[in-house]
Amino acid sequence: QASGEREADDYKSLLQIEAQAKWRLNPAYRLVNTAGPPHERQFSVEVAVGDKVKGRGRGRSLKEAEKAAARVALRRLRRQAAA
């Protein structure tokens, strides 16, 4: 696997590592919404660290939506750290 592909698979792990390092907390994922017929289901998930939502994501599976939420949260955390 190329490193970009590996990172894409590891968004949740990377977020967990960064959240533990920065706040000593684990991210928590919460299903916000499920829409669409069973064969085209869309899941919406948010990820929070402590009491703050850090990212939201959507996907055709719960796992895909969690990865999307973790990716958004990581980007936000990295932007804040760079600022």
Side-chain angles (χ1 to χ4, degrees), residues 9-63:
D9 287 340
D10 286 347
Y11 287 124
K12 289 178 67 176
S13 298
L14 292 170
L15 178 60
Q16 182 169 341
I17 290 165
E18 289 196 25
Q20 287 177 343
K22 190 167 186 172
W23 298 290
R24 298 193 186 280
L25 296 170
N26 287 321
Y29 295 86
R30 183 173 76 93
L31 180 62
V32 177
N33 188 37
T34 306
H39 64 285
E40 291 181 4
R41 190 74 71 205
Q42 280 286 321
F43 297 88
S44 296
V45 168
E46 63 185 22
V47 60
V49 178
D51 61 351
K52 296 193 181 192
V53 173
K54 300 293 185 182
R56 291 183 174 84
R58 290 177 34 179
R60 297 207 42 172
S61 69
L62 191 54
K63 184 176 179 177

